[in-house]
Amino acid sequence: MRISMIGCGYVGLVTGACLAEAGHQVVCTDNDPARIAALQAGQMPIYEPHLDAILAANCRENRLSFTGDAGEAVRAGDVIFICVGTPPLETGEADLSAIDNVARMIATEARSPKLVVEKSTVPARTGRQLKRALEVYRRNGGGEFRVASNPEFLREGTAVEDFLHPDRIVLGVEEEATEQQLREIYGPILEGRFRCPVHSPACPSTKAPQMVVTTINSAELIKHASNSFLALKISYANVVADLCERVGADIEEVIRAVGLDPRIGPQFLRAGLGFGGFCFPKDIQAFIRLAERAGVDFGLLKEAERVNKGRVDLFLEKVRRALWVVKDKKVGLLGLAFKPNTDDIRFAPSLEVIRRLLAEGAQVRACDPKAMERTCTIFPQIQYSHDSYEVARDADALLILTEWDEFRHLNWERIYRLMARPLVIDGRNLLEPEMMKEFGFEYDSFGRPSDSLTPALVPALTH
Ligand SMILES: NC(=O)c1ccc[n+]([C@@H]2O[C@H](COP(=O)([O-])OP(=O)(O)OC[C@H]3O[C@@H](n4cnc5c(N)ncnc54)[C@H](O)[C@@H]3O)[C@@H](O)[C@H]2O)c1
């Protein structure tokens, strides 16, 4: 199949590379000429494990190419995947202007019938608007358009694995022919007919992914409903963690047992600084606004959002309680990315933590395996180091903001000796309180017993 990919961000690149690996002919374009030039030169504009290898292999084998000429890309494909960003507007609604721009471009550039697939996350009923826009923008060209929704569930950090080994593929379609075309595209992935860059020598045998065929409206809604439910789980765990702190229970013990119930499951119940990234915060907001417009009260979701926004406040309260005066204190940050194994800092809690620490006059230093370059464009005034030990040297406090595995395996005994005051506040519950205590650290985290830093409020409850 000949496929065009519009938008070369996290989703566009992973989708393009994996569909090329599945044997299709894929042409990718983006309206950022620097990004296209970098990709043509074999440089990766983002960090995502395994993506560089799979991109390079498929470019070499002439199944995958990049062009800055959007018209050329549109004409090259029978199926066009729209993978552009849908960021939040001030109102919280999804900004669909990039989708609208792409619709205009496809309608004017196409010379033959096309299937246009929404891969970007969009609110329900966008498909209808997209179809209308394609018709309205179409001049006398030969383009006949069908529209489908194929929401993407990949997670940054494991995106290639998620795409090649999905748990489900959702197809929102209106015609039999569209369903057949999309089934053909995903066939090699469903049947395991690709070279997997993640597993060697062979992929583990897992349950075959489900192909879920729905209406376009349902497919669009499935994506928002999935992300919103995961966000609800995280906020729920965070409130339970706050309660654990107050009554002297341990969130890790509680969640381990709660998560063993198969009706609940252990995932997305980690307490800490809360969720960030390009998906959850904006998708939750867009879903709330969609519900409002439809006259449905989604207070449940508003509460999850409110809880999440309060996590940074609670974290900084822990920092203030421990440091007393923040001004002029040397504060080291371990982690900037919104989650491990990515360089993405969009809506990362670290950004708000930095902003507030700087406002309070702290001297901030930071280390992140992949996200320092991006953070530096927003906060050039803080110090960055590739060496966690340099960030710890003479620091009054170390704050853990992202649960990168390498931070877990640091030589904490050495860090203890390097710090001016051995104080660690762990926003991701990455480390074991017992171990930190043995090393002699003052240590605080979320929802777990800590001797000195979080006053348990058990006495208040007895009244
Ligand atoms: N990042 C994720 O983990 C993830 C997962 C699932 C779904 N999604 C959804 O997929 C969509 C894309 O997300 P992303 O993280 O890849 O975004 P991104 O910002 O990394 O990439 C979007 C790309 O689209 C390009 N673009 C914007 N307007 C364009 C236009 N008119 N023509 C051509 N290119 C244009 C941008 O230059 C950019 O390179 C969003 O709707 C997002 O919600 C993202």
Side-chain angles (χ1 to χ4, degrees):
M1 189 87 69
R2 297 183 314 162
I3 295 173
S4 315
M5 209 59 58
I6 317 280
C8 294
Y10 289 85
V11 169
L13 287 177
V14 172
T15 306
C18 291
L19 291 182
E21 181 55 44
H24 304 296
Q25 199 64 43
V26 182
V27 179
C28 305
T29 189
D30 196 286
N31 67 350
D32 177 352
R35 182 162 282 233
I36 289 296
L39 286 161
Q40 285 170 334
Q43 293 155 10
M44 284 291 294
I46 58 169
Y47 171 73
E48 183 59 46
H50 308 294
L51 184 57
D52 47 356
I54 194 171
L55 269 180
N58 283 283
C59 285
R60 236 182 359 253
E61 290 155 20
N62 293 323
R63 278 191 298 272
L64 182 64
S65 62
F66 300 94
T67 173
D69 182 340
E72 180 192 316
V74 164
R75 287 185 289 279
D78 303 311
V79 180
I80 303 172
F81 282 82
I82 303 181
C83 305
V84 298
T86 47
L89 291 166
E90 287 276 297
T91 57
E93 283 176 300
D95 180 353
L96 299 176
S97 55
I99 305 268
D100 184 38
N101 288 338
V102 169
R104 186 187 291 272
M105 190 265 292
I106 293 173
T108 47
E109 297 290 348
R111 300 287 178 268
S112 58
K114 306 282 177 194
L115 169 60
V116 181
V117 184
E118 300 167 346
K119 194 63 153 159
S120 302
T121 301
V122 291
R125 301 164 87 87
T126 301
R128 281 166 37 145
Q129 296 289 358
L130 176 61
K131 184 141 198 215
R132 217 176 61 182
L134 288 165
E135 292 302 326
V136 169
Y137 296 142
R138 183 155 71 111
R139 305 244 174 89
N140 302 324
E144 287 269 319
F145 301 107
R146 280 176 288 128
V147 167
S149 165
N150 171 219
E152 183 48 55
F153 298 98
L154 63 78
R155 298 161 297 175
E156 287 176 25
T158 52
V160 172
E161 181 173 3
D162 292 343
F163 198 96
L164 292 174
H165 299 286
D167 41 24
R168 78 268 210 221
I169 295 171
V170 174
L171 306 179
V173 296
E174 281 180 347
E175 312 83 7
E176 177 84 31
T178 302
E179 180 184 333
Q180 283 319 319
Q181 221 166 351
L182 287 167
R183 279 186 184 277
E184 199 182 316
I185 288 174
Y186 282 105
I189 288 175
L190 288 173
E191 292 153 21
R193 281 188 280 121
F194 54 82
R195 298 163 301 183
C196 181
V198 184
H199 305 109
S200 167
C203 301
S205 60
T206 46
K207 238 173 60 191
Q210 295 249 1
M211 185 77 97
V212 184
V213 181
T214 69
T215 62
I216 295 180
N217 271 338
S218 294
E220 292 165 337
L221 202 122
I222 285 166
K223 174 64 189 174
H224 271 145
S226 300
N227 275 3
S228 298
F229 189 75
L230 294 174
L232 276 174
K233 276 186 97 175
I234 295 171
S235 283
Y236 179 79
N238 277 327
V239 177
V240 175
D242 294 346
L243 193 53
C244 286
E245 274 180 32
R246 298 299 176 107
V247 303
D250 182 335
I251 185 69
E252 302 300 331
E253 292 177 351
V254 172
I255 285 311
R256 198 178 316 128
V258 169
L260 283 172
D261 183 333
R263 293 170 301 176
I264 297 174
Q267 289 184 319
F268 285 80
L269 287 175
R270 284 197 66 88
L273 260 175
F275 54 81
F278 190 49
C279 291
F280 284 11
K282 80 171 172 60
D283 290 351
I284 264 204
Q285 282 188 28
F287 210 31
I288 291 171
R289 298 287 103 78
L290 180 77
E292 269 170 11
R293 274 184 172 227
V296 173
D297 178 9
F298 219 146
L300 186 65
L301 215 46
K302 289 184 193 160
E303 195 52 25
E305 190 189 28
R306 189 191 64 75
V307 166
N308 195 58
K309 283 191 173 144
R311 299 318 287 170
V312 169
D313 299 333
L314 281 178
F315 184 69
L316 288 170
E317 206 36 59
K318 286 174 185 289
V319 174
R320 277 187 218 104
R321 201 157 50 215
L323 282 178
W324 179 40
V325 172
V326 173
K327 188 164 187 289
D328 295 331
K329 293 281 160 65
K330 294 193 179 86
V331 179
L333 308 182
L334 294 184
L336 297 164
F338 85 95
K339 64 189 278 195
N341 301 317
T342 180
D343 59 353
D344 200 347
I345 55 163
R346 292 178 289 184
F347 302 99
S350 64
L351 303 183
E352 191 55 24
V353 171
I354 296 173
R355 203 168 286 126
R356 302 236 210 131
L357 287 173
L358 291 176
E360 293 189 33
Q363 297 175 30
V364 181
R365 281 177 286 179
C367 172
D368 186 286
K370 296 290 173 196
M372 289 194 290
E373 217 172 293
R374 287 187 194 275
T375 314
C376 189
T377 61
I378 303 174
F379 295 110
Q381 67 272 52
I382 72 172
Q383 281 180 33
Y384 297 91
S385 173
H386 286 285
D387 184 347
S388 306
Y389 300 102
E390 279 314 305
V391 168
R393 189 183 294 281
D394 298 326
D396 295 296
L398 260 190
L399 313 184
I400 300 177
L401 306 184
T402 314
E403 63 275 38
W404 284 93
D405 220 28
E406 37 259 79
F407 297 151
R408 199 193 310 273
H409 301 299
L410 288 171
N411 181 342
W412 285 97
E413 201 172 354
R414 182 174 165 207
I415 290 186
Y416 177 85
R417 282 185 269 111
L418 284 172
M419 292 181 74
R421 175 180 171 184
L423 166 66
V424 172
I425 305 186
D426 182 350
R428 297 297 182 183
N429 288 6
L430 180 74
L431 305 171
E432 289 303 324
E434 272 307 310
M435 177 190 87
M436 296 306 277
K437 206 168 132 189
E438 274 166 29
F439 283 130
F441 282 99
E442 295 173 83
Y443 175 80
D444 199 1
S445 55
F446 279 103
R448 303 193 292 182
S450 69
D451 291 342
S452 52
L453 302 177
T454 311
L457 295 188
V458 179
L461 288 174
T462 57
H463 292 297

